[in-house]
Amino acid sequence: MKSAQPEAKLLVVDDEPNIRELLSTSLRFAGFDVVAAGNGRDALTAAETHGPDLVVLDVMLPDMDGFTVTRKLRASGRHCPVLFLTARDDTEDKVTGLTVGGDDYVTKPFSLDEVVARIRAVLRRTQPLLDDEAIIRVDDLELDDDAHEVRRGGEVIELSPTEFKLLRYLMLNPNRVLSKAQILDHVWEYDFNGDASIVESYISYLRRKIDRNPDVPALIQTKRGVGYLLRTADRR
């Protein structure tokens, strides 16, 4: 029986009518409120109108690719998480997705159970956590949970929802080396079929944003063969 209160509002974007309808129907049955679009332009309009909690977005669309749609969403101030659907299990696609703020991938052909599991995992890791301090500070780095903002030296740094959660985890454990397995378990809550390379990619892009000023000591450090840590000034 369908819950009276939807679990979350989803925007499903795919130009293939059969896939779009199958996904929409299955996700509604799983307890989500679903709106759908068949191309990038309609997806942007639907996002503006409905304010989804998450976008399930096909990479290959007729008018613009999913990466372009995501860039436009981010540029308009919408930072809802994005789950990409792709027919290509390609590292280049994954890297491109990370740079535009994507949060996860499902490769076609996919199982509906996998899509639902990935959606719920992304929603869990991107929801605001209210049981801890709203503002976390490490040296000149500040993370504001309520405003979902990050600043270093007073300058605002734009992060995707997953980058935000990864940084939050590092900041809650300063000077502690965190293994890839620990990061996957805490940040993704899904093992990506054991693919720990996703952690390396996110650390790399997070480092480019957080430690981009060469005149300021780098905070994010790699402990080769062990993991990653956020090293404070007093421990350098």
Side-chain angles (χ1 to χ4, degrees):
M1 184 174 176
K2 191 175 180 178
S3 172
Q5 179 63 40
E7 190 171 335
K9 181 181 291 184
L10 308 179
L11 170 58
V12 172
V13 187
D14 198 299
D15 64 317
E16 296 183 50
N18 291 341
I19 293 179
R20 187 169 66 246
E21 183 59 30
L22 176 63
L23 274 173
S24 298
T25 300
S26 300
L27 292 172
R28 289 188 185 103
F29 184 79
F32 297 100
D33 182 11
V34 180
V35 294
N39 58 56
R41 187 180 300 276
D42 290 348
L44 293 171
T45 300
E48 179 68 28
T49 303
H50 299 282
D53 299 305
L54 179 143
V55 181
V56 181
L57 180 59
D58 190 19
V59 170
M60 302 300 292
L61 295 171
D63 54 346
M64 64 183 85
D65 63 31
F67 304 135
T68 301
V69 173
T70 305
R71 288 189 190 97
K72 289 179 178 291
L73 285 173
R74 300 296 184 243
S76 70
R78 298 201 169 277
H79 297 283
C80 56
V82 173
L83 172 69
F84 284 119
L85 302 177
T86 176
R88 301 173 296 178
D89 189 13
D90 192 313
T91 300
E92 185 178 345
D93 274 358
K94 293 183 179 181
V95 170
T96 302
L98 294 178
T99 64
V100 301
D103 294 274
D104 201 353
Y105 285 80
V106 176
T107 304
K108 295 179 179 179
F110 50 77
S111 76
L112 292 170
D113 286 344
E114 180 186 11
V115 174
V116 171
R118 295 285 182 115
I119 287 171
R120 287 182 171 144
V122 171
L123 288 170
R124 280 197 301 271
R125 73 175 183 255
T126 55
Q127 285 172 345
L129 302 178
L130 304 176
D131 54 342
D132 296 305
E133 290 294 328
I135 297 179
I136 307 168
R137 294 182 180 87
V138 175
D139 292 352
D140 63 343
L141 184 65
E142 182 179 282
L143 182 147
D144 187 330
D145 247 345
D146 290 343
H148 207 273
E149 284 187 352
V150 171
R151 300 179 187 84
R152 184 162 192 196
E155 180 183 355
V156 174
I157 299 171
E158 293 292 335
L159 300 181
S160 73
T162 300
E163 288 171 335
F164 187 89
K165 182 114 185 240
L166 171 57
L167 180 62
R168 187 183 194 282
Y169 185 44
L170 292 171
M171 292 181 71
L172 286 172
N173 295 274
N175 301 308
R176 176 187 172 196
V177 178
L178 302 170
S179 69
K180 292 178 185 177
Q182 287 175 306
I183 293 171
L184 274 175
D185 182 62
H186 185 90
V187 178
W188 274 267
E189 301 177 13
Y190 195 95
D191 66 6
F192 283 84
N193 296 320
D195 183 8
S197 65
I198 197 76
V199 176
E200 297 174 20
S201 297
Y202 265 94
I203 287 287
S204 175
Y205 286 105
L206 187 60
R207 182 180 277 133
R208 290 185 188 184
K209 294 180 179 182
I210 299 300
D211 293 326
R212 62 189 177 189
N213 185 348
D215 298 325
V216 178
L219 285 170
I220 301 173
Q221 305 287 327
T222 300
K223 194 76 170 178
R224 195 168 300 280
V226 184
Y228 306 95
L229 74 156
L230 202 72
R231 193 184 299 280
T232 57
D234 61 333
R235 297 289 293 274
R236 294 190 190 109

